Amino acid sequence: MILSNSWRRLASAILLYICCITNEQQSVLAARQAKARRRLITASVMPSFLPSTAPSMASSDRPSSAPSSTVTTVPSYTPSTTITTVPSYNPSNAPTGVPSSSPSMVPSMSAMPTSEPSSSPSDEPDSLLLSTQENEFGAFGVMFDTFAWHKLRIVSFDIYSAYNSSGANVKVYTRPGNYTGHEVDSNGWDLVIDDQVDFLGQEIPTKILVGVTVPFESSQSFFIWSPDQRIMYNLGTEEGALYSSDAYLSFYEGVSLVNIFSNDIDDVYSPRVLRGAIR
């Protein structure tokens, strides 16, 4: 009876030892498995030299030294939260096929911007056509008014002459406001051109450079005089009537003169319309 109890105690001790060993082995195995799992989801400090066939569970701090030759079909599980400071060693040859969902936070800048803006709007017309009728009316001088709807610069006049001539004297006067009451009086007129010009006749316009700036919503008068040549015009309907206009400049019917600032009103004939264009 006593021997039987001893065997029972020995058997129980052996079973308890076996259970302790088994539990310890299981704990060690579980620790190894957990460590292995942590290795799988932790990003490497240095990039791999050969890309993996599948994306990693977490993003790396630096790009791989050798990017994959084809686009991965599976995106990263965890996209990077900051912009990489190291550029790709092998950038793509073509832009992305899908545009970004939001615009760039920083606008692009021109590498070579213009040194100064243009002096006039790009849609400003090249010229304002005046009378284009062909006839034989001409005089030594033509005077007219203009009105600028915007500040602009009149660069030149295209005029026609009675015949061809070389080295003909031409003078151009201008004054702010209307010419009415100042047709034969030189007071207030500014001489802007006193030059010799080769007139090209009635078929080809002759360009007379002036370069006069007209203020915003202002009238400006002009007097073109050539004692050596007849300047061509057409007969008008009413002196001061609007003849031609666009969004920038208006041109009005004027007068012709057979003498310059003579103080004799009989030297003035109206209404007359200069044949040519204002540029």
Side-chain angles (χ1 to χ4, degrees):
M1 190 69 177
I2 295 173
L3 181 59
S4 178
N5 291 334
S6 298
W7 279 106
R8 288 192 186 94
R9 287 194 295 271
L10 179 60
S12 298
I14 292 172
L15 290 174
L16 180 61
Y17 176 75
I18 294 173
C19 290
C20 290
I21 292 176
T22 302
N23 291 336
E24 183 178 358
Q25 290 177 343
Q26 291 178 347
S27 298
V28 172
L29 180 60
R32 290 178 177 176
Q33 292 175 345
K35 186 176 181 180
R37 286 195 297 271
R38 285 196 298 272
R39 289 178 177 174
L40 287 175
I41 63 174
T42 302
S44 60
V45 178
M46 294 294 293
S48 61
F49 289 95
L50 293 176
S52 59
T53 56
S56 60
M57 297 294 292
S59 58
S60 61
D61 296 330
R62 297 176 59 190
S64 60
S65 300
S68 58
S69 58
T70 58
V71 180
T72 178
T73 58
V74 181
S76 301
Y77 294 102
T78 306
S80 59
T81 58
T82 58
I83 299 174
T84 178
T85 58
V86 181
S88 172
Y89 292 104
N90 187 14
S92 59
N93 295 324
T96 178
V98 181
S100 59
S101 58
S102 60
S104 171
M105 297 299 293
V106 181
S108 60
M109 299 183 66
S110 173
M112 296 184 64
T114 56
S115 58
E116 60 182 24
S118 60
S119 59
S120 60
S122 58
D123 57 349
E124 184 174 335
D126 292 334
S127 64
L128 177 65
L129 292 178
L130 309 181
S131 175
T132 57
Q133 300 177 15
E134 295 184 10
N135 53 49
E136 297 182 357
F137 299 117
F140 296 129
V142 177
M143 189 177 294
F144 54 89
D145 289 337
T146 63
F147 184 86
W149 297 101
H150 303 273
K151 180 180 178 180
L152 53 81
R153 184 174 180 82
I154 295 178
V155 178
S156 65
F157 295 114
D158 288 353
I159 63 175
Y160 293 86
S161 58
Y163 49 86
N164 297 358
S165 63
S166 299
N169 190 359
V170 174
K171 294 182 179 181
V172 178
Y173 297 83
T174 188
R175 63 175 294 127
N178 298 324
Y179 67 78
T180 304
H182 306 281
E183 297 93 330
V184 294
D185 183 4
S186 62
N187 291 331
W189 288 96
D190 294 323
L191 179 64
V192 293
I193 291 296
D194 186 357
D195 201 0
Q196 291 185 336
V197 175
D198 294 336
F199 280 100
L200 304 178
Q202 299 188 30
E203 301 297 329
I204 302 175
T206 301
K207 185 178 295 294
I208 309 296
L209 299 177
V210 289
V212 175
T213 299
V214 185
F216 168 73
E217 291 190 352
S218 299
S219 296
Q220 192 77 20
S221 302
F222 292 92
F223 175 30
I224 304 175
W225 173 260
S226 177
D228 303 327
Q229 181 63 266
R230 284 192 300 157
I231 301 171
M232 307 307 292
Y233 62 80
N234 292 122
L235 300 178
T237 57
E238 180 181 357
E239 182 182 356
L242 177 65
Y243 187 86
S244 180
S245 182
D246 58 22
Y248 297 89
L249 186 68
S250 294
F251 167 78
Y252 300 87
E253 296 184 19
V255 299
S256 65
L257 296 96
V258 295
N259 211 337
I260 182 171
F261 302 135
S262 63
N263 292 316
D264 186 356
I265 197 66
D266 290 337
D267 291 337
V268 181
Y269 295 85
S270 68
R272 301 289 187 265
V273 180
L274 175 67
R275 181 184 169 208
I278 302 177
R279 299 187 185 277

